Amino acid sequence: MLTIKQLTQTVGGDISPRMVRHYHQLGLLPQPERSPGNYRLYTEKDVQRLQRIVTLKQQGFQLSHIHKLLEAEPEAEQTALLGQLQQQYRSVIQQMTHLRQTASALEGLLGRDRQCQIIQAEALAQLKHLEAKTQTELETLWRGLDIAVDRHPESFEESLQRLLPDLSDRSEIEVDLLSKLVLACGDVSLVPFVKVSRGAIAAARDAMKNGCTIVTDILTVTAALDQTRLAHLNCPTKTLIDDLHISDVTQAEQAFRHQANWQQRLEQIPNGCILVIGYAPSVLLAVCEAIRNQTIAPALIIGMPIGFSHAPAAKRRLMQLDRPYVTIEGTIGGGLLAAAALNSLVESLIEKPDCHCYLSH
């Protein structure tokens, strides 16, 4: 039997006796037995229940939802949990959508170049003085801001300087890589999720100087590569799944999973090549396994497959390997982003062949 202080110490997670008493009042925790001195006494069952409350709360569940989950019958518990997870997911997505819309509006202001600043300043002044705006007023405001965009081409470099986070600790070549990825998808929030391993840029430049082969997962990625610059570097391209009928992630995933010839072709890629994977998570998983088994030895892996469970797992495996990589954590990815990453490295090598800024970062 544990006292309330011993209970909170056992559970941890910044739980306090005051919170335990609050959970008693809400019915989340049953009233415990009392000692002869009227102290609350708790059992192992109480520890487990409180640990579950803390875990669910940390996952973002409201206390009312937690109460329903705890009261569910064992056989209905899984169904109830899935329902609550779906409800919580919808709530999170709504919050993300709202934040993305807010960020997009701020980007629309901050990303405007000097020629738009006079109109922007007037708009900001209006925003300051108008506390409450209807949708019509907001649309009028944006129309005023948007007038300037017809007068000149957009200055992407100037916009990026305002929008990108502090990248002073990154090399000039890596900053260019990150900028190209942002421009490829139009999402500045992508930057923290882009992971470039130590030595990745050096490995890419050395490999391309030696005319390495660029191996992609499907033809859609190959088509997005800068073939002119690659030809200048004498870097041939090769497609792993070179079926003209396969053009999206679903088709690529199914083909690689169920056709052994594509898997056998992976084991035959040349050592020192650069792998550019933009669609199928299974390809990246197979690459990681082949590297562990020392079947293949690419110089660099650009691993940016799309997917909601396999892709994040494949990227985590990639980052655990002792092999240079460029990837994007989570579900975000795609052939355009993967190709943009390689194209940026190709362009920087041709335009700045003697640059060594990346060696000091």
Side-chain angles (χ1 to χ4, degrees), residues 263-320:
Q263 299 171 29
Q264 292 168 1
R265 184 176 289 190
L266 174 63
E267 297 177 355
Q268 298 167 2
I269 64 172
N271 288 339
C273 69
I274 294 179
L275 275 164
V276 185
I277 302 166
Y279 281 91
S282 289
V283 174
L284 184 55
L285 288 169
V287 165
C288 293
E289 185 64 22
I291 291 173
R292 284 199 187 93
N293 295 335
Q294 299 182 346
T295 306
I296 62 173
L300 173 75
I301 305 102
I302 297 177
M304 301 180 184
I306 304 171
F308 303 102
S309 59
H310 288 50
K315 293 170 184 176
R316 285 192 290 271
R317 291 189 191 180
L318 173 62
M319 290 186 284
Q320 292 167 3

Side-chain angles (χ1 to χ4, degrees), residues 330-342:
T331 61
I332 299 172
L336 181 58
L337 286 170
L342 181 74

